[in-house]
Amino acid sequence: MADRTESSIDIAAKPGEVLDVIADFESYPQWATEVKKVEVLTEEGDGWADQVRFTLDAGAIKDTYVLDYEWDVTRNGTGVVSWGLVEASVLKTMNGSYTLSAKGSAGTTVTYRLAVDVKIPMLGMLKRKAEKVIIDTALKELKKRVEG
């Protein structure tokens, strides 16, 4: 299994509100600065996105890729949203998850786990650093979007 990076952040909103922002893929380019374009390709019968195509420009990593999502969440929004890479040009692996946990009566702790590998040779140390930047940026932007 590939090494992975993880980080957490507390957001002043209920888990369901955070989950709504995570699930609104078409809005990602408005708040996730490295995501340039998003297209939901398929949805599950319950309305959750199943496969989503992203166009990413994260400096060292530029790619268009498709992720397959699993939604193991409760009605109040707690649980895990996970994904795995289906296809890409530059990326070899992009597996990750958001874990949403209630914090008090109106807060959420979001833990983001990510493992990325690319088809071109790259030192493990640089991959972990790239993962850390992606995670920290995504969590800060998610917090700003939900709380803003």
Side-chain angles (χ1 to χ4, degrees):
M1 177 161 166
D3 291 334
R4 69 175 188 193
T5 303
E6 90 174 48
S7 189
S8 297
I9 197 166
D10 291 331
I11 298 178
K14 293 182 179 180
E17 296 170 52
V18 177
L19 184 63
D20 287 346
V21 172
I22 291 170
D24 185 10
F25 292 105
E26 283 91 355
S27 294
Y28 277 36
Q30 297 172 18
W31 61 270
T33 55
E34 293 154 345
V35 177
K36 302 306 176 192
K37 184 178 176 186
V38 179
E39 178 185 4
V40 175
L41 302 176
T42 60
E43 290 184 353
E44 296 179 0
D46 56 10
W48 295 111
D50 187 37
Q51 290 198 350
V52 182
R53 177 181 294 123
F54 293 85
T55 301
L56 178 78
D57 184 351
I61 300 175
K62 293 179 171 115
D63 203 359
T64 296
Y65 56 92
V66 176
L67 298 179
D68 184 66
Y69 281 83
E70 295 296 325
W71 301 86
D72 186 14
V73 292
T74 64
R75 290 187 136 181
N76 71 356
T78 59
V80 180
V81 178
S82 57
W83 58 88
L85 186 66
V86 175
E87 65 182 50
S89 300
V90 175
L91 295 168
K92 183 164 59 172
T93 304
M94 183 179 240
N95 300 321
S97 65
Y98 283 114
T99 301
L100 285 71
S101 306
K103 182 174 174 98
S105 62
T108 305
T109 299
V110 180
T111 301
Y112 187 172
R113 294 174 181 89
L114 184 66
V116 174
D117 200 1
V118 290
K119 294 177 181 175
I120 56 172
M122 184 182 283
L123 292 173
M125 177 179 74
L126 292 177
K127 283 185 234 177
R128 299 297 79 77
K129 182 173 177 158
E131 287 172 356
K132 183 75 173 146
V133 168
I134 291 167
I135 287 174
D136 287 348
T137 302
L139 286 173
K140 287 175 190 165
E141 290 176 341
L142 176 64
K143 178 180 175 76
K144 184 177 175 182
R145 176 73 173 194
V146 174
E147 293 179 352

